[in-house]
DNA sequence: ATTAGTGCAAACGTTTTGCAACTAG
DNA sequence: CTAGTTGCAAAACGTTTGCACTAAT
């Protein structure tokens, strides 16, 4: 029942703990929710001005592979969230401004797994996202 | 109860019916399901060799805006589907090869709308996608 | 010492843009 | 006629790659 930290997991898999890697993980705490690679990079650069954006990308893709972070596709660049910190949830995304909030519901059931299995699919994950207009954007559009 | 065709809708909104636009709409029929802009372009070029890819993009974005087609984000380039032809459904996507199938279930309920409304969101749409491995890719990975 | 990780620069693929020419209504 | 549409070329954007150098183990 010991909780494995991201760093433990990296070590366990034989990856090195570099200052850059530490910083990427920490950056999530001080970034807006669902940061882009860019935003994370800017955050990391406050501590380590010389990190390169590609290092951020490389680490994000490693962390995604290890399921330490989740990568969420957006038409205008992907965003990330720390996996372990958050319990399972889904998102409300404003189609105007991109503002994102979490919503504590999940429709996933065994029935879907079975439905998928009929087609030969083994489900490993799912996304359920709502698109709409946040309050601000509703007002803005109303005035026009 | 008259069914509005995509062309009617375009006309009604004051957009012109160009050969390129017709061809894009037709291309969906002869393309693999969930084509990319590239694939649609190649299909259109069989009839009209000189269409430019940007015209395809411009039309897809217009058609998406009018909800005639749906744009689905993928990390490796977005894909499209004709909205009207298909009843409401969701997708199974293979994370290895990208193979996509439809699944005839939808968990959307009023309860979600209300939950979202509490946070000031007006929901306009949603996506529910399952990720996993298709049969082929399961076998392939098993052999390794 | 060894292997993994880094920064740099350049490349990549998708999508968007400005513009002058064209065309459907 | 004329507003909307096109093709072209170039750019923008997020992301990935090859390489020689550096650093964690």
């Amino acid at each position: 029942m010991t909780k494995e930290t991201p760093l433990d997991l990296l070590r366990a898999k034989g990856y090195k703990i570099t200052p850059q890697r530490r910083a990427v993980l920490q950056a999530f705490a001080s970034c807006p929710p669902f940061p882009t690679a860019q935003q994370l990079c800017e955050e990391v650069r406050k501590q380590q001005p010389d990190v390169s954006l590609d290092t951020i990308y490389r680490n994000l893709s490693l962390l995604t592979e290890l399921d330490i972070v989740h990568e969420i596709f957006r038409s205008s660049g992907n965003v990330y969230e720390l996996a372990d910190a958050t319990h399972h949830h889904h998102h409300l995304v404003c189609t105007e401004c991109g503002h994102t909030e979490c919503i504590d519901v999940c429709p996933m059931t065994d029935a879907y797994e079975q439905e998928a299995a009929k087609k030969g699919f083994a489900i490993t994950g799912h996304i359920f996202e709502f698109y709409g207009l946040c309050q601000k954007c509703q007002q803005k559009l109303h005035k026009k």
Side-chain angles (χ1 to χ4, degrees), chain A:
Chain A
M1 220 67 220
T2 42
K3 180 139 189 195
E4 233 180 20
T5 69
L7 293 183
D8 290 339
L9 194 70
L10 283 170
R11 256 188 290 264
K13 296 259 182 182
Y15 296 106
K16 293 176 179 171
I17 312 296
T18 65
Q20 292 88 336
R21 241 161 229 177
R22 283 194 138 87
V24 169
L25 287 167
Q26 285 166 6
F28 278 96
S30 38
C31 264
F34 312 104
T36 61
Q38 273 289 357
Q39 291 175 312
L40 286 163
C41 188
E42 281 157 28
E43 201 54 39
V44 169
R45 279 186 175 152
K46 289 183 187 169
Q47 316 288 329
Q48 310 184 29
D50 293 336
V51 272
S52 66
L53 182 54
D54 15 277
T55 294
I56 306 295
Y57 274 112
R58 275 188 278 231
N59 283 327
L60 282 173
S61 97
L62 172 63
L63 294 172
T64 300
E65 212 170 282
L66 298 179
D67 205 43
I68 293 172
V69 312
H70 295 153
E71 184 178 44
I72 305 169
F73 307 145
R74 291 267 183 282
S75 54
S76 50
N78 301 336
V79 299
Y80 301 85
E81 72 177 348
L82 255 190
D84 81 84
T86 57
H87 55 291
H88 185 76
H89 64 259
H90 295 285
H91 302 129
L92 292 166
V93 185
C94 178
T95 50
E96 279 294 305
C97 70
H99 174 65
T100 301
E101 290 196 31
C102 300
I103 186 166
D104 271 333
V105 294
C106 178
M108 194 63 195
T109 68
D110 290 348
Y112 295 141
E113 305 247 17
Q114 284 162 24
E115 191 71 22
K118 279 187 206 159
K119 307 197 182 225
F121 266 85
I123 290 185
T124 56
H126 66 275
I127 74 172
F128 186 38
E129 299 206 319
F130 298 95
Y131 298 114
L133 296 172
C134 70
Q135 203 140 33
K136 274 189 196 166
C137 289
Q138 285 174 60
Q139 288 163 358
K140 223 175 280 172
L141 291 173
H142 211 274
K143 281 179 191 158
K144 271 197 206 167

